[in-house]
Amino acid sequence: MYSLICQHTDVGGQTRKISKFSANADSQLSHFHNGLEDKEHSKVREWLERNKCAQEVLLFVVMLGTCMLIGDGILTPAISVLSAIGGIRAEVPSISQNVVVWVSAVVLVVLFCCQSYGTNKVAFLFSPIMATWLLTTPMVGMYNIIIHYPTVFKAFSPAFIYRFFQKNGKQGWHMLGGIVLCITGCEAMFADLGHFNRLSIQLAFSFLVYPSVLLTYAGQTAYLINHPENYLEGFFKMVPEPVFWPMFVVATLAAIVASQGLITATFSVIKQSVALDYFPPVKIVHTSEYSEGQVYSPEVNYGLMVLCLAVVFGFRSATTIGNAFGVAVVCVMIITTCLMAIVMLVIWNTNWLFVSVFFTVFIFVEGCYFSVVITKIPQGGWLPFIISILFTLIMTSWNYGRRKKFEYEMKNKLSKKTLGELLSRIGDHRVPGVCFFYTDIFHGIPPIVKHYVQNVRTLHQVIIFTTVRHIPIKTVLAAERFLVGRIGFTGVYHCVARYGYMDLLSSETTYFLDQVTQCLTKHIGSALDFSDNPDEVGQEDERAREIQMIVNAKAAGAVYVLGRSEFKVDNNTSYLDRIVAGIFYPFLNSICRSPVSSLHIPPANFLELGMYYDLL
């Protein structure tokens, strides 16, 4: 939702703001679809765009929610699998908890190792299991309702809410903490949109999942009314003896499926965070050519696996993990409700009265649960806060460093006059070939060019300042991929390379070089430059010479230059800059995925140039 807000408003302080020209060019792509009609801006949107303090608060809340969701992705597989495997002790009490923990760990390792095959293949394997689960558990529930308490459905009456709290008072409020796990999973339903359309999710949830869950819980309630001593293992105790082992197998496999949903959600939210420059780069693999949301990240996957195993071996009890899990889930729900209300007001221009009713109802229910689960912090509820603090520190440090880098480059970018002086100083002593300077600046010349000339003492015959953009569509047609233009001087050009989520960004072959130079020669030949007036272009013979120069430079080969910036901090630098820009950001930058691997640049043609950025 924050990504949606940033996409359609001037909110977010993104380090890579695009120009109006680039935005219009994106909207003209063959496969581009915005999905939102232009509407009159609401007063809330105008206030949010003006108020920088509100934007910072919004960003912090979003980061906290994101980190809570990551914590949810760690805790869900742990509690789901550990609870399911632990059910075997209901039938065989002699099995020790150590065996349950180790078996759970093995199942989790297998689950995480299967993620690389993609959600489609995993779903193909697990879909029959989930269908079996949703059909068999309500049957068990109906059996217990008939046998133990046929009138249990009267519990659906809202009157019993009042009677419950009237009878139990404060103790009834504490009991809410025992049922909070019944609503978990809803916070990750957004991940399903990466795999299915909205209507299919609504139909499946309303007519299959929800009725099945209600009948299962009703059956469990009916059993516990007559057997309250079995409340710790209510589900497996209510299963009839003849079908216990088949139901145990189905329950274990269904728990794995439940874990899959949160793992996928974590992949999705980290992918969005990387795109917005709020998380260090990680490898993102799109496992489906039909859906953008089906992604896989090996670094994130195995990081989750290690943390998940640490939780299982550290807590060893589903009850304690449940306390931590409840805190994470409710926090995610509250933050989601707040962001949803903002989207309704700012993006959708929904009537404020409807938004008020929506927000009041949901925040009241979630607030009641939050007031209970917050008391569980000493019993394990502290874990999601520790995870959130850790990941929030990573995200804020990375975003702070990226913003400082972008601000320095924008402040110190070279003017055309300065570039002209550098070119005149070099004269005709230009190196044959093409040089791609990668930069985040869409318009302008990065300061590292001056640093390059001062150290190398020359420039290539053809210089192309290249910016790579990832567009939220499946693919960008080859004919529409590149936006090119001249930057005031012969041999100096700018290129915006646009890629969809299924496009392969590769410079390992000459394809990238061939396509860019082809676009440049076509552009010069037609004199259609988006940065210059076509009337100022020289005569046809001058164009021919420029085209021939590009062809010769292409034949001589290409070099790809990336800048590696380091912040210069000393005692005169602010304390915040010394800690974040001087310690945390350089550490993250040193261990994160290199841009070379992301861009697939051949090592033989790669040149990395270091430069100090003075923060004073």
Side-chain angles (χ1 to χ4, degrees):
M1 285 185 285
Y2 184 72
S3 176
L4 185 68
I5 294 172
C6 292
Q7 183 180 354
H8 296 283
T9 66
D10 189 20
V11 171
Q14 303 100 308
T15 58
R16 296 182 63 179
K17 290 284 188 182
I18 65 173
S19 67
K20 183 177 293 186
F21 174 85
S22 298
N24 292 335
D26 290 347
S27 64
Q28 295 173 6
L29 293 172
S30 297
H31 297 292
F32 187 87
H33 176 64
N34 193 347
L36 292 175
E37 298 178 359
D38 293 332
K39 298 180 179 179
E40 184 180 352
H41 293 181
S42 66
K43 293 182 179 180
V44 177
R45 172 175 175 173
E46 293 174 354
W47 174 81
L48 188 60
E49 290 178 339
R50 289 194 310 266
N51 195 317
K52 297 300 180 184
C53 181
Q55 293 183 27
E56 293 297 328
V57 172
L58 175 63
L59 175 59
F60 176 77
V61 171
V62 169
M63 285 187 176
L64 183 63
T66 301
C67 297
M68 280 288 182
L69 184 63
I70 295 173
D72 198 359
I74 296 169
L75 296 172
T76 297
I79 190 173
S80 299
V81 175
L82 192 60
S83 298
I85 300 298
I88 196 174
R89 300 186 68 190
E91 185 71 12
V92 188
S94 60
I95 295 179
S96 68
Q97 185 65 18
N98 282 336
V99 174
V100 172
V101 169
W102 278 101
V103 172
S104 300
V106 172
V107 172
L108 288 170
V109 170
V110 172
L111 171 65
F112 281 103
C113 289
C114 291
Q115 297 301 312
S116 60
Y117 293 102
T119 309
N120 273 342
K121 294 180 180 178
V122 174
F124 178 79
L125 176 64
F126 286 149
S127 292
I129 297 169
M130 207 65 224
T132 304
W133 167 260
L134 293 173
L135 292 175
T136 55
T137 52
M139 293 179 184
V140 174
M142 288 296 296
Y143 169 81
N144 282 271
I145 291 171
I146 296 171
I147 297 297
H148 297 289
Y149 201 79
T151 60
V152 71
F153 290 110
K154 66 183 180 181
F156 291 148
S157 171
F160 282 94
I161 299 177
Y162 173 76
R163 294 183 187 178
F164 175 80
F165 286 107
Q166 184 185 43
K167 179 180 179 180
N168 296 284
K170 186 177 179 180
Q171 185 63 26
W173 171 72
H174 279 291
M175 290 179 183
L176 288 177
I179 62 172
V180 68
L181 298 187
C182 296
I183 60 174
T184 58
C186 298
E187 79 282 1
M189 286 186 68
F190 75 93
D192 296 331
L193 290 171
H195 310 271
F196 311 100
N197 59 49
R198 183 171 57 183
L199 180 60
S200 64
I201 296 174
Q202 292 172 334
L203 292 175
F205 184 82
S206 301
F207 297 104
L208 180 60
V209 178
Y210 191 54
S212 174
V213 170
L214 285 181
L215 287 173
T216 303
Y217 284 141
Q220 193 170 341
T221 303
Y223 173 82
L224 290 175
I225 287 175
N226 290 333
H227 302 86
E229 69 280 2
N230 294 327
Y231 72 96
L232 289 177
E233 297 170 339
F235 175 77
F236 286 105
K237 287 291 186 180
M238 79 168 182
V239 176
E241 184 72 24
V243 295
F244 175 85
W245 288 110
M247 286 302 300
F248 172 77
V249 173
V250 173
T252 302
L253 295 176
I256 297 174
V257 178
S259 305
Q260 173 67 34
L262 263 298
I263 294 171
T264 302
T266 305
F267 292 158
S268 178
V269 76
I270 287 184
K271 177 205 165 193
Q272 291 291 336
S273 300
V274 171
L276 291 171
D277 262 340
Y278 294 127
F279 200 86
V282 295
K283 183 177 181 181
I284 300 294
V285 179
H286 290 271
T287 57
S288 171
E289 61 178 303
Y290 304 107
S291 177
E292 180 189 4
Q294 298 188 24
V295 295
Y296 164 74
S297 173
E299 295 100 327
V300 176
N301 182 60
Y302 293 114
L304 287 177
M305 183 182 75
V306 171
L307 293 174
C308 189
L309 292 176
V311 169
V312 169
F313 285 110
F315 285 89
R316 304 178 65 84
S317 167
T319 302
T320 309
I321 299 176
N323 293 332
F325 186 45
V327 173
V329 168
V330 176
C331 286
V332 170
M333 287 183 174
I334 290 176
I335 294 174
T336 301
T337 298
C338 295
L339 289 178
M340 189 66 190
I342 294 175
V343 169
M344 293 169 73
L345 289 171
V346 174
I347 307 298
W348 298 343
N349 286 346
T350 307
N351 185 280
W352 68 269
L353 186 60
F354 179 81
V355 177
S356 300
V357 173
F358 160 81
F359 182 78
T360 301
V361 171
F362 277 84
I363 210 69
F364 175 75
V365 175
E366 293 162 357
C368 290
Y369 281 111
F370 181 76
S371 65
V372 177
V373 298
I374 203 71
T375 63
K376 303 290 186 180
I377 288 180
Q379 291 83 40
W382 52 267
L383 180 61
F385 287 101
I386 296 297
I387 295 174
S388 296
I389 291 172
L390 174 63
F391 279 96
T392 300
L393 180 63
I394 292 173
M395 295 180 73
T396 52
S397 299
W398 180 260
N399 180 250
Y400 185 83
R402 291 289 294 172
R403 285 164 57 182
K404 285 291 183 180
K405 178 177 180 291
F406 182 77
E407 289 169 4
Y408 179 90
E409 291 182 347
M410 290 299 296
K411 181 180 178 181
N412 296 276
K413 66 180 180 180
L414 305 183
S415 63
K416 286 187 179 181
K417 180 180 178 181
T418 305
L419 179 61
E421 292 174 355
L422 291 175
L423 293 173
S424 62
R425 191 183 309 166
I426 296 172
D428 295 331
H429 304 290
R430 304 275 287 270
V431 178
V434 179
C435 179
F436 289 95
F437 274 98
Y438 286 91
T439 175
D440 288 341
I441 302 177
F442 284 91
H443 291 286
I445 302 157
I448 203 166
V449 175
K450 185 176 181 179
H451 184 63
Y452 178 86
V453 174
Q454 290 174 345
N455 287 272
V456 182
R457 310 290 182 184
T458 186
L459 284 170
H460 282 71
Q461 193 175 11
V462 173
I463 305 167
I464 304 176
F465 298 105
T466 306
T467 301
V468 177
R469 291 203 61 225
H470 294 279
I471 313 297
I473 58 177
K474 181 176 75 172
T475 184
V476 177
L477 299 179
E480 302 174 341
R481 187 175 307 284
F482 301 104
L483 296 174
V484 296
R486 187 186 291 106
I487 307 183
F489 304 94
T490 301
V492 182
Y493 310 96
H494 190 272
C495 171
V496 178
R498 302 175 294 179
Y499 293 87
Y501 60 83
M502 285 301 296
D503 291 329
L504 177 63
L505 199 163
S506 177
S507 303
E508 294 176 348
T509 65
T510 60
Y511 175 80
F512 185 82
L513 174 63
D514 293 340
Q515 292 297 309
V516 174
T517 53
Q518 180 181 344
C519 288
L520 278 174
T521 54
K522 182 179 179 181
H523 169 77
I524 295 169
S526 60
L528 294 178
D529 192 326
F530 64 73
S531 59
D532 292 335
N533 189 329
D535 297 334
E536 297 177 359
V537 181
Q539 302 297 323
E540 292 296 327
D541 55 342
E542 293 179 359
R543 295 184 195 172
R545 284 196 297 269
E546 186 173 359
I547 291 174
Q548 188 59 45
M549 177 193 67
I550 294 174
V551 172
N552 294 337
K554 171 190 167 185
V559 63
Y560 304 87
V561 178
L562 275 78
R564 185 176 184 86
S565 57
E566 294 186 14
F567 294 114
K568 183 179 180 181
V569 296
D570 52 31
N571 293 332
N572 296 322
T573 311
S574 68
Y575 185 75
L576 179 63
D577 285 340
R578 274 185 280 170
I579 296 297
V580 179
I583 299 176
F584 290 152
Y585 178 76
F587 173 73
L588 293 174
N589 201 29
S590 64
I591 63 173
C592 73
R593 190 172 181 81
S594 168
V596 181
S597 57
S598 302
L599 298 171
H600 300 281
I601 297 174
N605 301 91
F606 167 65
L607 177 62
E608 187 176 54
L609 186 65
M611 180 179 177
Y612 278 114
Y613 283 9
D614 196 342
L615 296 181
L616 293 177

